[in-house]
Amino acid sequence: MTVHSKATAQQKSIGPIGLALHVFNALGAAVLGFLEKTGSFSIFVGRAVAHCFMPPFFGKQLLRQLIDIGYYSLPVVGMTAIFTGMVLALQSHTGFSRFNAEGAVAGVVALSMTRELAPVLAGLMVAGRVGASIAAEIATMRVTEQIDALTTLSVNPFKYLIAPRLIAATLMMPILVLIGDIIGIFGGYVVAIYNLGFSQGSYLSQTWDILETMDVVSGLVKAGVFGFIVAMLGCYHGFNSQRGAQGVGAATTNAVVSSSIMILIFNYILTQVFFS
Amino acid sequence: MSKTKLKLSGVRKAFGSNHVLNGVDLEVESGKSLVVIGGSGTGKSVMLKCVLGLLQPDSGSIKVDGQETVGLSANDRGEVMRKFGMLFQGGALFDSMTVWENVAFGLIQGRGMARNEAQAIAIEKITAVGLSADVGNLYPAEISGGMQKRVGLARVVATAPEIIFFDEPTTGLDPIMADVINDLIVDQVNDLGATALSITHDMASARKIADYVAMIHEGQIVWHGKVGDLDHSGNEYVDQFIHGRADGPITRRAA
């Protein structure tokens, strides 16, 4: 009997119970695969966080990452914030004028920027810039055996590569978002004053009056969490990259996509925690 | 009688249904050089990574100076790692650092040595492998493959390890450069009095750097003896491999 005819005979003899077993088998494999990935990620997060608090610390690496993640992300976060603030002023003015509520423009710009837009948009922009860069760099180091080389030179890759990136991203994101808040509100102010004819004094006083400490603090806490997510997922996908150029590409894509989705999910969760 | 520096007993490792190591038994005497030969995909690199702790064996024992290393805690593993040095197949130089920083990396980051002191040792090691001191200020991307191997070797010996692993040290090099690297390996290992474990399928390299040779096939050591006995081993796997014959037990089993 040929291999093909054996396979056909087997298919015929499967029947409804066999088919159900096949479906459960596939389902079970998928569930086990998911649990394995979740477990592996949880262990990775645990190890990474633990190494942030255990000596030795690589200060020079941390400084480099603070500059890379914080300082070099300023232009992209600043540009995103200023145009978002400007568009927000224009759109809210157009919408609110239908209800003769143009006076709410300043408050809408301030609250939207500090609570939601600055942290979320900065998070997404940093995920694209920093998350991709972290994943690509670490994945390339994995592919070219540089991570193995670190281990053989008695340097723990979690301490040397991952901990500085995690700390830097978690610390720098709130600073970036605070600057983004100021720039975004300034963008709305410029459009409101020079385009929509608002008076400088009333716009600023409305902005100041409506803003509460919690509005700014909630955005900064979100920013810290988003920074942690971006760095952690960048490191995780880079560190567990498959071999070859394709592996590096996949690690980079997965890092950006997964961190963007996680930012949106955690944004909802944190908003619920802060404002429900 | 020589002391056993490294001993593997019944080491097994599988990736899913792919059983790569099927009970590897191997011993390396202190101060001797053992070369493991074998075709691609026979488990050479996996064996090396198990010894280095980069992979965890499924079962078996790996002893260094009589100390069991399988299942060691992270701290104890760190102590054992200080005895090791490794020359990677592709060099594995850190491309964000200059050549001298690469060579000094293990001293500065791994041993906490002062930067100036480590730089002096790095330059000494760079010249010891036949490169000029000026090369120390270049980046790995700015030097040739042969020079990268030399830098890799300088990085390995800079920390004066007790056991050095060489992963395909001559792969990708022309025959003359390969011979230069082989000579450097012999010189540096002898200078340090280190124990060496190499994996290769380059027979010229194996004959030059080995005191002992072992052949791995399908995840098991099928022959182990002195390098002088290689040509009359009486083992049909070794005979086929060292003569590069297409027909023989290795290819019959693979087919």
Side-chain angles (χ1 to χ4, degrees), chain A residues 4 7 14 27 32 40 44-45 47 61 68 75 77 101 130 138-139 149 152 164 168 216-217 225 228 271:
Chain A
H4 178 70
I14 283 176
L27 201 63
L32 285 176
S40 139
F44 185 90
V45 172
R47 283 182 72 187
Q61 283 299 306
D68 268 3
V77 171
V130 175
I138 295 181
T152 63
V216 178
V217 169
V225 173
F228 180 83
T271 304

Side-chain angles (χ1 to χ4, degrees), chain A residues 130-205:
Chain A
V130 175
S133 151
I134 289 175
E137 187 178 354
I138 295 181
T140 305
M141 290 185 75
R142 166 65 71 203
V143 168
T144 55
E145 296 184 306
Q146 290 178 51
I147 292 180
D148 290 343
L150 279 177
T151 308
T152 63
L153 290 164
S154 304
V155 175
N156 189 320
F158 272 82
K159 288 191 194 302
Y160 188 78
L161 292 177
I162 294 169
R165 284 167 172 80
L166 270 184
I167 297 169
T170 309
L171 292 180
M172 292 315 288
M173 268 299 285
I175 296 172
L176 283 171
V177 166
L178 188 61
I179 296 169
D181 286 346
I182 296 165
I183 294 174
I185 291 170
F186 174 73
Y189 167 84
V190 168
V191 168
I193 305 306
Y194 297 104
N195 197 355
L196 305 175
F198 280 71
S199 88
Q200 292 182 12
S202 70
Y203 189 92
L204 285 176
S205 70

Side-chain angles (χ1 to χ4, degrees), chain B residues 205-228:
Chain B
S205 178
R207 288 178 196 279
K208 193 129 194 185
I209 64 180
D211 295 314
Y212 294 91
V213 176
M215 167 123 189
I216 189 168
H217 180 66
E218 293 185 344
Q220 284 184 316
I221 301 296
V222 293
W223 184 80
H224 186 189
K226 289 183 177 171
V227 66

Side-chain angles (χ1 to χ4, degrees), chain B residues 113-165:
Chain B
M113 188 181 280
R115 200 171 162 83
N116 287 347
E117 198 182 340
Q119 184 175 12
I121 293 173
I123 297 297
E124 181 195 323
K125 297 299 176 188
I126 288 167
T127 52
V129 295
L131 297 171
S132 72
D134 298 344
V135 173
N137 293 319
L138 299 175
Y139 283 89
E142 296 172 317
I143 59 178
S144 69
M147 290 165 88
Q148 287 186 15
K149 287 272 181 178
R150 292 184 194 221
V151 174
L153 183 59
R155 184 172 70 179
V156 172
V157 297
T159 52
E162 294 175 31
I163 307 172
I164 308 181
F165 302 93

Side-chain angles (χ1 to χ4, degrees), chain A residues 58 60 144-146 148-155 160 243, chain B residues 49 54 81-82 84 88 92-95 97 105 109-110 155:
Chain A
F58 292 96
K60 202 175 164 189
T144 55
E145 296 184 306
Q146 290 178 51
D148 290 343
L150 279 177
T151 308
T152 63
L153 290 164
S154 304
V155 175
Y160 188 78
R243 297 285 174 193
Chain B
K49 287 187 173 178
L54 301 174
M81 290 304 291
R82 286 172 176 269
F84 294 164
F88 289 88
L93 300 178
F94 305 122
D95 41 25
M97 298 175 200
F105 186 87
Q109 307 293 359
R155 184 172 70 179

